[in-house]
Amino acid sequence: AWGTLAGIAVFFIWIAPEYLGFTTGNAGGVSPFDPEVCGWPLTLVRLAGSAFVIAVAEELFFRKWLMDFAGFWWMVALFAIEHDRWAVGAAAGAVYGFLALKKGLASAIAAHVVTNFVLGLWVIWRGDWQFW
């Protein structure tokens, strides 16, 4: 439950700047993952990969290895600069890191999976390709 709630919260943190009038990352444009460009199979592979491969791999690296090796704040900083939206990347890294410390790595993985899956559905539904 904590992972699901945190994942949804991070989703809203991730999209909030654009809807509050700030432009971050790659604003606008067409994505190669738009189903009109590449077809639905590749778009759905991108969604699945983002949610179930990338999220798990990032959690294992950032929250398991890096946080144990370098500490919480170095993990947050490196997670932030690894994303084109560094401010919300830092917030996401802090939420996932705190969750990993308090509820365990599985909760952080669940949160990240939920964030990436919901974000992917949002991107496909709204055509907000700047988030991908």
Side-chain angles (χ1 to χ4, degrees):
W2 284 106
T4 301
L5 291 173
I8 292 169
V10 171
F11 160 74
F12 283 112
I13 290 168
W14 202 266
I15 66 168
E18 276 79 2
Y19 290 95
L20 294 173
F22 300 100
T23 301
T24 60
N26 303 320
V30 175
S31 169
F33 296 105
D34 183 335
E36 292 183 13
V37 174
C38 69
W40 278 103
L42 187 56
T43 300
L44 295 175
V45 165
R46 167 72 161 119
L47 174 62
S50 174
F52 302 110
V53 177
I54 293 171
V56 174
E58 284 186 342
E59 288 309 304
L60 291 173
F61 176 74
F62 284 98
R63 258 56 74 189
K64 178 62 180 150
W65 184 80
L66 187 61
M67 193 162 63
D68 288 349
F69 177 74
F72 182 86
W73 292 111
W74 279 108
M75 174 277 298
V76 169
L78 292 174
F79 192 74
I81 63 172
E82 190 246 343
H83 291 85
D84 64 339
R85 292 167 165 72
W86 62 267
V88 293
V95 169
Y96 299 148
F98 184 77
L99 197 59
L101 289 172
K102 296 299 180 187
K103 298 294 180 184
L105 183 62
S107 289
I109 290 171
H112 203 152
V113 166
V114 167
T115 299
N116 285 15
F117 189 74
V118 172
L119 182 63
L121 292 175
W122 178 265
V123 164
I124 293 167
W125 176 56
R126 300 274 306 191
D128 285 345
W129 302 107
Q130 72 270 17
F131 294 114
W132 258 6

